Amino acid sequence: MTENSFINSVTPDILNPTDQYEVKILLAYFLYQIDRPVTPNQLTEIATGEGIVNYFLFSEAVNEMLKNETIELTEIDGTSVYVLTEKGKEGALSFKRFVSKSVRDRIYAAGLRFFAKLKNERDVTFEINPLEKGYSVHCRCMDNDIMLMDLTMFAPDKGEAEYLKSKIMMNPTDFYCKVMDYIIENEEYVPSIIEEE
């Protein structure tokens, strides 16, 4: 087998944690790095949603972590969340080398994307309404209680309207910044005069 054919035969699953011990270290490391309470549903989505950890292995690891008190399930503002204990923090730092850096980076990146998506869904709202011809796409960007942008765009059909929405939701902050940059850099239109001879 050549080196290239071996590399091509490696699937992402080979790079994923395959035993409960690794998964426990990975989850502890993630909770330490993200440094915020995470609901059970959020942790499940982050760890298993992108195929980083097998769901059944994840469930076993979480149950074991609750039993040995590396994480605890507590309530904050009426919501059940997992919190890493001091024992869990020590384990995350002491044993992180037993899980490859690439897998640690993947779960951390998945968590950041997940929480960015949640924030986007809170801060950016859309209304898509039919017009006599086409659709209006009304987008509002908020930052807590401050309205940053209130913009209505035209789309020729429903598919295009949904496409505009999906593109903005990919990275609303970048969209807002690009609109502001364009406004700041915009210049008065000066027509070029072509003299006839």
Side-chain angles (χ1 to χ4, degrees):
M1 179 182 275
T2 67
E3 184 181 341
N4 283 343
S5 64
F6 172 75
I7 289 168
N8 291 335
S9 70
V10 172
T11 65
D13 291 342
I14 291 175
L15 306 175
N16 293 350
T18 54
D19 68 47
Q20 190 185 110
Y21 181 71
E22 285 180 301
V23 174
K24 288 190 292 187
I25 294 168
L26 180 64
L27 294 176
Y29 172 81
F30 169 73
L31 289 169
Y32 178 80
Q33 286 296 106
I34 207 77
D35 193 28
R36 63 181 288 173
V38 178
T39 69
N41 285 343
Q42 289 171 344
L43 189 59
T44 303
E45 176 64 26
I46 290 163
T48 66
E50 296 185 18
I52 298 167
V53 177
N54 170 285
Y55 175 79
F56 297 105
L57 201 54
F58 166 82
S59 299
E60 290 170 5
V62 168
N63 287 335
E64 191 63 32
M65 292 173 81
L66 288 166
K67 278 184 199 169
N68 68 23
E69 299 178 349
T70 49
I71 61 171
E72 61 182 27
L73 187 60
T74 188
E75 199 168 291
I76 297 176
D77 297 329
T79 302
S80 295
V81 292
Y82 290 130
V83 175
L84 194 61
T85 63
E86 284 306 314
K87 180 180 175 183
K89 289 175 186 174
E90 289 171 19
L93 295 175
S94 301
F95 300 105
K96 69 179 184 181
R97 68 184 180 282
F98 290 107
V99 178
S100 73
K101 184 176 183 320
S102 65
V103 176
R104 295 194 317 260
D105 289 349
R106 280 175 60 206
I107 195 167
Y108 185 57
L112 292 178
R113 281 193 299 274
F114 180 85
F115 288 115
K117 183 172 178 282
L118 282 185
K119 184 177 187 320
N120 291 346
E121 288 170 356
R122 270 196 318 268
D123 293 350
V124 183
T125 59
F126 286 89
E127 288 175 24
I128 296 176
N129 296 309
L131 303 171
E132 192 173 323
K133 291 183 179 178
Y135 285 78
S136 71
V137 181
H138 189 179
C139 171
R140 289 186 187 93
C141 297
M142 305 285 293
D143 185 7
N144 296 318
D145 58 347
I146 299 169
M147 176 74 72
L148 298 176
M149 183 169 62
D150 191 342
L151 176 68
T152 301
M153 298 162 283
F154 172 80
D157 57 50
K158 183 80 182 281
E160 189 69 23
E162 292 291 349
Y163 179 73
L164 287 174
K165 175 182 173 181
S166 70
K167 290 296 282 183
I168 293 169
M169 284 303 290
M170 281 181 177
N171 192 343
T173 302
D174 190 51
F175 172 73
Y176 171 75
C177 290
K178 283 180 178 170
V179 169
M180 294 305 290
D181 286 346
Y182 182 79
I183 291 167
I184 291 165
E185 293 169 11
N186 196 26
E187 295 178 356
E188 182 183 3
Y189 171 66
V190 179
S192 56
I193 299 169
I194 301 170
E195 291 185 11
E196 290 184 17
E197 292 185 14

